[in-house]
Every structure is written in C-alpha cells, then in structure tokens.
Amino acid sequence: MDSLMNRRRFHAHAGAIVLCSTFARGLRAQPRPEMLRILCGYPAGGPVDLVCRTLAERLGAAGSAPRALVENKPGAAGRLAVEELRRAGADGSALLVTPASVVTMYPHVYRQLSYDPFTDLAPVGAVAATGFALALGPRLDANVQTVDDFARWCGAHPAQAQCANAGAGSMPHFMALLLERELRVPITHVPYRGGQLAMQAAASGEVAAAIATEAAARTLVQSGRLRVVATSGAERSPFFAQAATFREQGFAPLTQREWFGAFMPARTPATTVQTMADALRAALAGPEVRDAWERIGLLVESSTPAELAAAMRSEHRFWGPLIKASGFTPES
C-alpha cells in the first residue's frame, strides 16, 4: 500500500496538458462512447459521490465523452454498483469509482459475494485516498497524548476501554480490530452508522475513543471536543499535522489508508483502459481537484492500472487473516 500511496504528489499543469493531448489523440484513433457512465455505490452528497461528480465534470471537459454522467446505485454497502459494472458493456462507456474495502475486504467479509474483484474488474487507477484518525474524548485525562498512553489507560480502565467505529464490517471497524491486536489490550468495539456519529459519540463521552476517517474528526477537533493522538498515513496528515503517525509511534501495521479506485469491466480492451487511465491522471492534475478533495477530507492519489491491481492483491492478502480471526460476518 505504501508504494501506491507515498509516490502520489501530483505533477503540475504542464503534465496535465501533455496527458490531455495524449488522450485526445487516443480518442481520434478509436471509437468513443456517446456517454460515460460513472457508477457510484453511495447516495448523492457523500464523499464518493462528490468525487464522482468532480471527475465527471473534468472528464467531460477533457473530451472523454460528449457527456459524463454520475449514476448513483446506493445499497448493499457499495456492492450494487459493482454488480452494475459487471453488466456494463466493455466499450469504455462505464466507469466505477469505489472505496478500496469493496474490492479488498468484502471477499473476506461476505460468504456469497456476487462478484470477484480480480476477475470481474479491470483496474484503471486510484483517484483519492483518506487516512484514519484515533481520536480521544473527554472520558480520558488530558495527559493521555499518545498511542502508548491510550494502551495504558485501556489496561487500567478495562470497563471503559471502548472504541467507536463507522459501522460493523467497515474499514474503520477492522482498523479498530487491528489497533486492539497491536496494543495487546482488550477493547470493546462499538459500531455506529457512519464515522461522524462514531466521532460524536467519543466527543460526548458516550465512548472513550473513536477511529474513523480524518474527515469525520476535523470539525470536532477544531472545536476542541476531541483530540487526535495518531493518524494512519505513511506521513503526517495535513489535516492533523500535530499528531504523530501510528508508524512514528511504533505501530507500523496501522499504516493504512483507504483509497478510492476507478474500474472498468474486466472484458474492456487494455488500450481502452489505458486511455481512461491517462484521462483520469489529466483530470486529477491541478489545484482545483486538490482543493475540492481537501474540502471533504481527501487527498489526491494516482496510480497506473498495474499499480492499482498490485495494491488490491496486497491489501486483500493483508486483511484476510485479521478478518478471519475476528470471526466477523454481516450476520454476526
């Protein structure tokens, strides 16, 4: 994961011009669809939807299709949009944008998954990423300032050692399980319906701590109701620069971020996939997208199709044993 995430600091407008030019030449050399459907497995207004809509605007302006439209297919925790992509034509007219967990964790979580991410999807490239934050609320004394401090506090207060997460089966849920494993102290995991509710529970003192996306914590940290003691990126978060990373504090396995990736149907010709990969890189370049992503707590990320495929397999292997050991299933 680090190899994908560490190298993504975007080349400026000159690179974008070259990529747009290359993409335009590719379009003249092959038939193009009348419309590009960008499939989103989440409701309108959420971070995945906002990423999709920004990409639709940028890709449409670059000439990837006469129209680039977002189709929201919410439900089944993002799985419905993947199923829709499987049914789509392999002519470059459909693009799925989805969080990593849908293609890396779900094969371990759901006993009967209707798709195989490694045979049904063609990776195109990463488009965004988010880190996770461990935030502490008023239940803990102000002198609990590090991950080690938190571990000692949990050991001394086992009945209060609770950590909220963004929902059973979510990546923050498994991050919390990974945190418990690394700290070697029992922690009670409390699922909420989303990261913001998890952070609010910690801020109100309903639970001691929460782990969720950095975006879910920002407002509550700014208002002084929460303090972040660690973030999960390979480097310090631009949103919480004062907080040391898990890696800096000696917990390297917690160096994880969830990327958003773009995919096409597996039958799509490699030349079409590469053309779209080049178009995405051009669409993402420049300060406008960086600023749009940062407003919703995301960072711009990019990768080649091969790099995204490698990240999928690496993270699928990493999370499998932990999910299996947890015994978690959606029915549990």
Side-chain angles (χ1 to χ4, degrees):
M1 183 177 198
D2 290 350
S3 62
L4 174 64
M5 299 306 178
N6 288 349
R7 294 177 295 166
R8 306 299 175 243
R9 296 297 179 265
F10 264 105
H11 324 312
H13 284 295
I17 294 170
V18 171
L19 288 169
C20 286
S21 170
T22 301
F23 181 58
R25 289 197 300 271
L27 288 173
R28 289 194 294 269
Q30 63 186 53
R32 66 178 184 175
E34 293 183 359
M35 181 178 72
L36 175 67
R37 302 163 59 215
I38 301 181
L39 302 173
C40 174
Y42 301 88
V48 184
D49 173 73
L50 292 172
V51 166
C52 289
R53 293 186 187 280
T54 302
L55 290 176
E57 293 173 4
R58 301 280 289 182
L59 290 170
S64 63
R67 291 185 299 161
L69 299 177
V70 176
E71 288 189 15
N72 295 89
K73 302 287 182 182
R79 304 194 303 280
L80 294 185
V82 184
E83 294 168 5
E84 180 69 17
L85 187 75
R86 288 183 64 221
R87 295 189 289 267
D91 57 357
S93 64
L95 183 75
L96 168 73
V97 176
T98 189
S101 54
V102 176
V103 295
T104 60
M105 290 182 167
Y106 283 13
H108 302 296
V109 172
Y110 294 94
R111 293 174 180 171
Q112 294 184 328
L113 196 62
S114 62
Y115 58 87
D116 183 332
F118 300 104
T119 59
D120 292 333
L121 306 180
V124 179
V127 297
T130 180
F132 299 96
L134 174 62
L136 310 183
R139 277 200 184 187
L140 287 84
D141 296 335
N143 60 2
V144 180
Q145 293 288 337
T146 68
V147 178
D148 279 331
D149 290 343
F150 178 62
R152 285 189 290 269
W153 185 90
C154 289
H157 303 83
Q160 300 180 58
Q162 297 174 321
C163 185
N165 63 63
S170 66
M171 189 165 180
H173 173 208
F174 295 119
M175 283 290 292
L177 291 175
L178 182 59
L179 175 67
E180 180 182 27
R181 188 191 77 181
E182 293 301 305
L183 297 189
R184 301 182 181 182
V185 293
I187 297 175
T188 300
H189 303 287
V190 186
Y192 286 81
R193 299 190 65 174
Q196 290 186 335
L197 290 179
M199 289 293 181
Q200 288 169 9
S204 69
E206 186 175 323
V207 295
I211 190 163
T213 63
E214 294 174 354
R218 287 172 73 184
T219 301
L220 293 166
V221 170
Q222 290 167 355
S223 66
R225 298 176 62 195
L226 285 177
R227 64 184 182 277
V228 169
V229 297
T231 55
S232 68
E235 302 171 354
R236 291 202 179 192
S237 167
F239 307 121
F240 305 110
Q242 79 287 352
T245 65
F246 283 109
R247 173 174 286 174
E248 287 179 281
Q249 298 184 59
F251 300 94
L254 283 151
T255 306
Q256 306 288 337
R257 292 202 290 175
E258 183 157 38
W259 41 262
F260 294 4
F263 299 86
M264 302 182 94
R267 306 177 306 281
T268 307
T271 53
T272 303
V273 171
Q274 187 59 56
T275 297
M276 181 56 70
D278 292 343
L280 282 176
R281 289 179 61 199
L284 290 165
E288 300 87 355
V289 172
R290 181 195 65 218
D291 293 345
W293 271 209
E294 288 186 358
R295 282 194 294 272
I296 55 175
L298 299 175
L299 296 175
V300 173
E301 294 288 348
S302 179
S303 74
T304 66
E307 287 171 335
L308 184 58
M312 284 175 61
R313 293 194 177 278
S314 174
E315 294 177 28
H316 178 264
R317 288 192 299 268
F318 176 87
W319 289 108
L322 184 137
I323 294 171
K324 183 178 180 180
S326 75
F328 172 80
T329 67
E331 298 79 25
S332 61

